[in-house]
Coordinates of all heavy atoms in Angstrom, one line a residue:
T1 N 36.4 -11.4 -30.2 CA 37.4 -10.3 -30.3 C 37.8 -9.7 -28.9 O 38.4 -8.7 -28.9 CB 37.0 -9.4 -31.4 OG1 35.9 -8.5 -30.8 CG2 36.8 -9.8 -32.8
Q2 N 37.3 -10.3 -27.9 CA 37.6 -9.8 -26.6 C 39.0 -9.7 -26.2 O 39.7 -10.6 -26.4 CB 36.8 -10.7 -25.5 CG 36.7 -10.1 -24.2 CD 35.6 -9.2 -24.0 OE1 35.7 -8.1 -23.3 NE2 34.4 -9.4 -24.7
D3 N 39.3 -8.6 -25.6 CA 40.6 -8.4 -25.1 C 41.0 -9.3 -23.9 O 40.2 -9.5 -23.0 CB 40.9 -7.0 -24.7 CG 42.5 -6.7 -24.4 OD1 43.2 -6.5 -25.1 OD2 42.7 -6.9 -23.2
V4 N 42.1 -10.1 -24.0 CA 42.4 -11.1 -23.0 C 42.5 -10.5 -21.6 O 42.1 -11.2 -20.5 CB 43.7 -11.9 -23.3 CG1 44.1 -13.1 -22.3 CG2 43.5 -12.7 -24.7
S5 N 43.0 -9.4 -21.5 CA 43.1 -8.8 -20.2 C 41.9 -8.5 -19.6 O 41.6 -8.6 -18.3 CB 43.9 -7.4 -20.4 OG 43.3 -6.5 -21.2
Q6 N 40.8 -8.2 -20.3 CA 39.5 -7.9 -19.8 C 38.8 -9.3 -19.4 O 38.2 -9.4 -18.4 CB 38.6 -7.3 -21.0 CG 38.9 -5.8 -21.3 CD 38.1 -5.3 -22.4 OE1 37.5 -6.1 -23.2 NE2 38.1 -3.9 -22.6
I7 N 39.1 -10.3 -20.1 CA 38.7 -11.6 -19.8 C 39.3 -12.0 -18.4 O 38.6 -12.6 -17.6 CB 39.1 -12.7 -20.8 CG1 38.3 -12.4 -22.1 CG2 38.6 -14.1 -20.3 CD1 38.7 -13.3 -23.3
R8 N 40.6 -11.7 -18.2 CA 41.2 -12.1 -16.9 C 40.5 -11.2 -15.8 O 40.3 -11.6 -14.6 CB 42.6 -11.7 -17.0 CG 43.3 -12.0 -15.6 CD 44.8 -12.0 -15.8 NE 45.6 -12.5 -14.5 CZ 46.7 -12.8 -14.4 NH1 47.6 -12.4 -15.5 NH2 47.3 -13.2 -13.3
Q9 N 40.2 -10.0 -16.0 CA 39.5 -9.1 -14.9 C 38.1 -9.8 -14.6 O 37.8 -9.9 -13.5 CB 39.4 -7.8 -15.5 CG 40.7 -6.9 -15.7 CD 40.4 -5.6 -16.3 OE1 39.3 -5.2 -16.6 NE2 41.5 -4.9 -16.6
R10 N 37.5 -10.2 -15.6 CA 36.2 -10.9 -15.3 C 36.4 -12.2 -14.6 O 35.6 -12.5 -13.7 CB 35.4 -11.1 -16.6 CG 34.8 -9.8 -17.1 CD 33.5 -10.1 -18.0 NE 33.8 -11.0 -19.1 CZ 34.2 -10.5 -20.2 NH1 34.4 -9.3 -20.4 NH2 34.4 -11.3 -21.2
A11 N 37.4 -13.0 -14.9 CA 37.8 -14.3 -14.3 C 38.0 -14.0 -12.8 O 37.5 -14.7 -11.9 CB 38.9 -15.0 -14.9
E12 N 38.7 -12.9 -12.5 CA 39.2 -12.5 -11.1 C 37.9 -12.1 -10.2 O 37.7 -12.5 -9.1 CB 40.2 -11.5 -11.1 CG 41.6 -12.1 -11.6 CD 42.6 -11.0 -11.9 OE1 42.2 -9.9 -11.8 OE2 43.9 -11.4 -11.9
A13 N 37.0 -11.4 -11.0 CA 35.9 -10.9 -10.4 C 34.9 -12.0 -10.0 O 34.3 -12.1 -8.9 CB 35.1 -9.8 -11.2
L14 N 34.9 -13.0 -10.9 CA 34.0 -14.2 -10.8 C 34.5 -15.1 -9.7 O 33.8 -15.5 -8.8 CB 33.9 -15.0 -12.0 CG 33.0 -16.3 -12.0 CD1 31.7 -16.0 -11.6 CD2 33.1 -17.0 -13.3
Q15 N 35.9 -15.3 -9.6 CA 36.5 -16.0 -8.5 C 36.2 -15.4 -7.2 O 35.9 -16.0 -6.2 CB 38.0 -16.1 -8.8 CG 38.7 -16.9 -7.7 CD 40.1 -16.6 -7.6 OE1 40.7 -15.5 -8.1 NE2 40.9 -17.5 -7.1
K16 N 36.3 -14.0 -7.1 CA 36.0 -13.4 -5.8 C 34.6 -13.6 -5.5 O 34.3 -13.8 -4.2 CB 36.4 -11.9 -6.1 CG 36.1 -11.1 -4.7 CD 36.5 -9.7 -4.9 CE 36.3 -8.8 -3.7 NZ 36.7 -7.4 -3.9
G17 N 33.7 -13.5 -6.5 CA 32.3 -13.7 -6.2 C 31.9 -15.0 -5.7 O 31.0 -15.2 -4.8
V18 N 32.5 -16.0 -6.2 CA 32.3 -17.5 -5.7 C 33.0 -17.7 -4.5 O 32.4 -18.3 -3.6 CB 32.6 -18.4 -6.9 CG1 32.5 -19.8 -6.4 CG2 32.0 -18.2 -8.2
G19 N 34.2 -17.3 -4.3 CA 34.8 -17.5 -3.1 C 35.6 -18.8 -2.9 O 36.5 -19.1 -3.9
K20 N 35.3 -19.8 -2.2 CA 36.2 -20.9 -1.9 C 36.1 -21.8 -3.0 O 35.3 -21.7 -3.8 CB 35.5 -21.6 -0.6 CG 34.1 -22.2 -0.8 CD 33.7 -22.8 0.3 CE 32.1 -23.4 0.1 NZ 31.6 -24.2 1.3
D21 N 37.2 -22.7 -2.9 CA 37.3 -23.7 -3.9 C 37.5 -23.2 -5.5 O 36.9 -24.0 -6.2 CB 36.2 -24.8 -3.8 CG 36.2 -25.4 -2.4 OD1 37.3 -25.5 -1.8 OD2 35.0 -25.7 -2.0
T22 N 38.0 -22.2 -5.6 CA 38.2 -21.6 -7.1 C 39.6 -21.1 -7.2 O 40.2 -20.7 -6.3 CB 37.1 -20.5 -7.3 OG1 37.4 -19.5 -6.4 CG2 35.7 -21.0 -7.2
E23 N 40.0 -21.1 -8.6 CA 41.3 -20.4 -8.9 C 41.1 -20.0 -10.2 O 40.4 -20.5 -11.0 CB 42.4 -21.3 -8.7 CG 42.4 -22.7 -9.6 CD 43.7 -23.5 -9.3 OE1 44.7 -22.9 -9.2 OE2 43.4 -24.7 -9.2
V24 N 42.0 -19.0 -10.8 CA 42.0 -18.4 -12.1 C 43.3 -19.0 -12.7 O 44.3 -19.1 -12.2 CB 42.1 -16.9 -12.0 CG1 42.3 -16.4 -13.5 CG2 40.8 -16.3 -11.5
I25 N 43.0 -19.7 -13.9 CA 44.0 -20.2 -14.7 C 43.9 -20.0 -16.2 O 42.8 -19.5 -16.6 CB 44.0 -21.9 -14.6 CG1 42.7 -22.3 -15.3 CG2 44.1 -22.4 -13.1 CD1 42.6 -23.9 -15.3
E26 N 45.1 -20.0 -16.8 CA 45.1 -19.8 -18.3 C 44.5 -20.9 -19.0 O 44.5 -22.1 -18.5 CB 46.6 -19.6 -18.8 CG 47.2 -18.2 -18.4 CD 48.4 -18.0 -19.2 OE1 48.4 -17.6 -20.3 OE2 49.5 -18.3 -18.6
G27 N 43.9 -20.8 -20.1 CA 43.2 -21.8 -20.9 C 42.9 -21.3 -22.4 O 43.6 -20.4 -22.8
E28 N 42.2 -22.1 -22.9 CA 41.7 -21.8 -24.4 C 40.3 -22.0 -24.5 O 39.6 -22.6 -23.9 CB 42.4 -22.9 -25.3 CG 44.0 -22.9 -25.4 CD 44.6 -23.8 -26.3 OE1 44.0 -25.0 -26.3 OE2 45.6 -23.7 -26.8
S29 N 39.9 -21.0 -25.5 CA 38.4 -21.0 -26.0 C 38.4 -21.7 -27.4 O 39.3 -21.5 -28.2 CB 37.9 -19.7 -26.1 OG 37.9 -19.0 -24.7
E30 N 37.3 -22.3 -27.7 CA 37.0 -22.7 -29.0 C 35.8 -22.0 -29.6 O 35.0 -21.5 -29.0 CB 36.7 -24.4 -29.1 CG 37.9 -25.2 -28.7 CD 37.7 -26.6 -29.0 OE1 36.8 -26.9 -29.8 OE2 38.3 -27.5 -28.3
V31 N 36.0 -21.7 -31.0 CA 35.0 -20.9 -31.6 C 33.6 -21.6 -31.6 O 32.6 -21.1 -31.2 CB 35.4 -20.4 -33.1 CG1 34.4 -19.7 -33.7 CG2 36.6 -19.7 -32.9
G32 N 33.5 -22.8 -32.2 CA 32.3 -23.6 -32.2 C 31.3 -23.0 -33.3 O 31.8 -22.1 -34.2
G33 N 30.1 -23.4 -33.3 CA 29.2 -22.9 -34.2 C 29.4 -23.3 -35.5 O 28.9 -22.7 -36.6
G34 N 30.1 -24.4 -35.8 CA 30.4 -24.8 -37.2 C 31.3 -23.9 -37.9 O 31.2 -23.7 -39.2
S35 N 32.3 -23.4 -37.3 CA 33.2 -22.4 -38.0 C 34.5 -22.4 -37.3 O 34.8 -23.0 -36.2 CB 32.7 -21.1 -37.9 OG 32.4 -20.6 -36.6
F36 N 35.5 -22.1 -38.1 CA 37.0 -22.1 -37.6 C 37.4 -23.4 -36.8 O 37.8 -23.4 -35.7 CB 37.2 -20.9 -36.6 CG 37.1 -19.5 -37.2 CD1 36.1 -18.7 -37.1 CD2 38.2 -19.2 -38.1 CE1 36.1 -17.5 -37.7 CE2 38.3 -17.9 -38.8 CZ 37.1 -17.1 -38.5
P37 N 37.1 -24.5 -37.6 CA 37.6 -25.7 -36.9 C 39.0 -25.8 -36.4 O 39.9 -25.4 -37.3 CB 37.2 -26.8 -37.8 CG 37.3 -26.1 -39.3 CD 36.8 -24.7 -39.0
G38 N 39.3 -26.3 -35.3 CA 40.6 -26.3 -34.8 C 41.2 -25.1 -34.3 O 42.3 -25.0 -33.7
A39 N 40.6 -24.0 -34.5 CA 41.1 -22.7 -33.9 C 41.1 -22.5 -32.5 O 40.0 -22.9 -31.8 CB 40.4 -21.5 -34.6
K40 N 42.0 -22.1 -31.8 CA 42.0 -21.9 -30.3 C 42.2 -20.4 -30.1 O 43.0 -19.7 -30.7 CB 43.1 -22.7 -29.7 CG 43.0 -24.1 -29.9 CD 41.9 -24.8 -29.2 CE 42.0 -26.5 -29.5 NZ 40.8 -27.0 -28.8
L41 N 41.6 -19.9 -29.0 CA 41.8 -18.5 -28.6 C 42.3 -18.5 -27.1 O 41.7 -19.2 -26.3 CB 40.6 -17.7 -28.6 CG 39.9 -17.5 -30.1 CD1 38.5 -17.0 -30.0 CD2 40.9 -16.5 -30.8
R42 N 43.2 -17.7 -26.9 CA 43.8 -17.7 -25.4 C 42.8 -17.0 -24.6 O 41.9 -16.1 -24.9 CB 45.1 -16.8 -25.4 CG 45.7 -16.8 -24.1 CD 47.1 -16.1 -24.1 NE 47.6 -15.8 -22.8 CZ 47.7 -14.5 -22.4 NH1 47.3 -13.5 -23.2 NH2 48.0 -14.2 -21.1
T43 N 42.6 -17.6 -23.5 CA 41.5 -17.1 -22.4 C 42.0 -17.3 -21.0 O 43.1 -18.0 -20.7 CB 40.2 -17.7 -22.7 OG1 39.2 -17.0 -21.9 CG2 40.1 -19.2 -22.2

């Protein structure tokens, strides 16, 4: 249930922490764990 804007903030913080050879892009998360088959979450 994570807010997508918070995920983006963490992605940008991680990119800054790693430095070179990284970029932040839009993508999808899958639930997994034998549940919600086929469901995608924006990330």
Side-chain angles (χ1 to χ4, degrees):
T1 62
Q2 191 76 217
D3 185 85
V4 178
S5 62
Q6 294 179 340
I7 298 175
R8 182 171 188 173
Q9 289 173 6
R10 285 207 299 275
E12 291 170 346
L14 178 58
Q15 180 196 26
K16 183 178 179 181
V18 175
K20 63 178 182 178
D21 301 327
T22 62
E23 64 179 316
V24 174
I25 62 171
E26 289 191 81
E28 293 178 328
S29 304
E30 292 189 22
V31 178
S35 57
F36 290 107
K40 305 287 186 182
L41 292 170
R42 181 168 166 252
T43 193

